[in-house]
């Protein structure tokens, strides 16, 4: 059961939601408000996992990487087939940081940046929970 829910802020959250669905395979399950330029809160699902997405706003101290000039975190996401997922992201125009490779800890993974520069790792690594 997921108990940690990442929150990402985007300068153009509506475009980010569309792009994350197209490039990474997320499905939008909730968004408020439903239209207009500002997204207060959205939930996107990938398999059994949820991330939360919203527009950058001055009251919560969370910014998009272009505003900071750097990212402050990276999301690591398990996928069964990193090579197929990589092709989907590449076809959607994702900025590839590292193509798929085998790691020294037994995973296959690739690194990518989304349309506003949030870094992601997609791969077969699942850390032990105990």
């Amino acid at each position: 059961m997921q108990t940690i829910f990442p929150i990402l802020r985007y300068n153009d959250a509506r475009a980010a939601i569309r792009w994350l669905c197209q490039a990474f395979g997320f499905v939008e399950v909730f968004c408020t408000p439903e239209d207009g330029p500002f997204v207060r809160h959205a939930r996107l699902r990938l398999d059994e996992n949820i991330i939360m997405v919203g527009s950058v706003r001055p009251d919560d101290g969370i910014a998009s990487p272009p505003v900071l000039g750097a990212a402050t975190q990276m999301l690591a996401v398990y996928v069964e087939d990193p090579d197929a997922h990589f092709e989907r992201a590449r076809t959607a125009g994702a900025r590839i940081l590292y193509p798929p490779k085998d790691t020294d800890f037994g995973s296959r993974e690739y690194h990518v940046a989304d349309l506003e520069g949030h870094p992601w790792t997609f791969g077969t690594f699942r850390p032990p929970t105990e």
Side-chain angles (χ1 to χ4, degrees):
M1 170 190 357
Q2 181 177 344
T3 61
I4 297 174
F5 302 90
I7 299 171
L8 298 171
R9 294 284 186 253
Y10 290 91
N11 293 316
D12 187 341
R14 296 236 182 255
I17 290 167
R18 287 189 301 273
W19 192 88
L20 291 166
C21 292
Q22 177 188 5
F24 295 163
F26 281 95
V27 174
E28 181 182 330
V29 294
F30 177 83
C31 188
T32 188
E34 292 183 13
D35 55 23
F38 180 79
V39 174
R40 171 74 182 110
H41 177 81
R43 289 189 299 271
L44 306 181
R45 182 177 50 78
L46 182 65
D47 297 324
E48 302 302 316
N49 298 288
I50 296 289
I51 65 169
M52 296 182 285
V53 173
S55 297
V56 169
R57 47 186 164 267
D59 65 339
D60 70 358
I62 304 171
S64 183
V67 173
L68 298 175
T72 62
Q73 53 71 44
M74 175 181 271
L75 292 162
V77 181
Y78 171 83
V79 293
E80 275 190 41
D81 187 346
D83 294 285
H85 197 273
F86 167 80
E87 286 303 323
R88 178 183 185 142
R90 188 185 59 75
T91 299
R95 183 168 54 98
I96 305 302
L97 304 175
Y98 299 101
K101 65 179 179 178
D102 295 323
T103 69
D104 58 356
F105 52 88
S107 178
R108 181 152 181 85
E109 66 185 29
Y110 76 96
H111 297 209
V112 61
D114 68 25
L115 77 169
E116 288 196 19
H118 292 286
W120 298 72
T121 297
F122 290 93
T124 58
F125 180 68
R126 283 187 166 173
T129 57
E130 294 182 9

